[in-house]
Amino acid sequence: MRTDTSSTLDAPGGAKTAPRGGSALQPVAAGVLAAIVGFASAFTVVLQGLAAAGATPAQAASGLLAVCIGQGLLAILLSWRSRMPISIAWSTPGAALLVATGVPDGGFAAAAGAFLVAGALVVAAGLWRPFGRLVTAIPTPLASAMLAGVLLDLCLAPARAVGAMPLLALPVVLVWALAWRFARLYAVPLAVVAALAMIGLTTAVPPEAFAHLWPQPVFVAPAFSTGAIIGIAVPLFIVTMASQNVPGLAVLNANGYRPPVGPLFVATGLTSGLAALIGGHAVNLSAITAALCASAEAHPDPARRWPAAVVAGAVYVVIGLFAGFAAAFIAASPPLLIQAVAGLALLGSLGGALSTALAREEERLPAVVTFVTTVSGLSLFGIGAAFWGLVAGGAMMALARLKL
């Protein structure tokens, strides 16, 4: 059933909006831009994360295909049914989490099992309201500090790459910095273009990259282990909810849209579960490119912005068909240079996470404990540092609030 947008589209201040002109091409252009920026800004993070979790190049390509197709089709369906610009994206922080966590016991099959569990937790948050409220009750400073700890290592990669391969990495960083100054929206995509140019000049692309232009889904039989569930599934669920779904809803609300929350979580959780069977890690509400489709840049009339998210979804589906070539090309490239591009893409997320984590003085020390524990790489009982960071920070916050 389609949502009656006449009762859900309010301006941020609460007043009803009215059409103010605009072109039918605006939502099309906004949707194409959102998809291209979203893909170019983070596909290297996704491939790095899946590879770090034990995926072969073929499995990583299949996982990239899964999240591209999944998020594209889901954005088309949800936006068309609701007549609201519901933008869907892969979990970039979740992919960064995989880089920080590494290969779990049981290999990529165990990681795929963890992806399934994380998707099931998102579905549960949508179906059972008390559980959803419990998730959102996780202190924001701790969730942000854990996210910052997960992102830090990748964000150090640009500096490391400049030190290790200055002739390759320095031009990429300079392009990014200049674009950030003069055309901020295009900074990361231009850095990706610069990196691809440097790789093309110095690296021979393997023939198999051209042999797999057509997508080749690879089924991954999931395995389930306690270590992977606690060390990957739980942190993946938390960072996806805290850094993607909740901010994504905030972007929609700020632009006057009030979609029903439960069905959105159920839809993204189910799609994530299906994607996990062919290597995808998670899809969720978009928290970054969503503004391109939900704001006045897409159309002056809020009721005519939803096609932007539909167009973005369609472009993601098309781009996903070339996931095999992207994965083969990246696999042949210097890993540190690819990590550097991913790190540049995540610098803004790192800054935002640190700012939120350290904003309140009374919660600062528990947040720092969460951050340093996550960064430490601590692993106990096969469970990764991200989970223990939350445990340590939560214990410190509980101790601070203990009344004697």
Side-chain angles (χ1 to χ4, degrees), residues 140-141 143-149 151 347-359:
T140 300
S144 297
M146 182 190 73
L147 176 59
L151 298 177
L347 283 175
S349 298
L350 175 63
L354 286 173
S355 177
T356 302
L358 304 176

Side-chain angles (χ1 to χ4, degrees), residues 35-47 63-72 87-95 240 244 272 281-288 316 319-320:
I36 292 175
V37 169
F39 182 86
S41 298
F43 81 97
T44 55
V45 185
V46 174
L47 291 174
L64 182 61
L65 167 68
V67 291
C68 279
I69 300 296
Q71 69 193 29
S87 297
I88 306 296
W90 55 54
S91 177
T92 302
T240 297
Q244 297 274 173
S272 296
H281 65 300
V283 299
N284 40 244
L285 294 176
S286 172
I288 299 173
Y316 269 123
I319 291 175

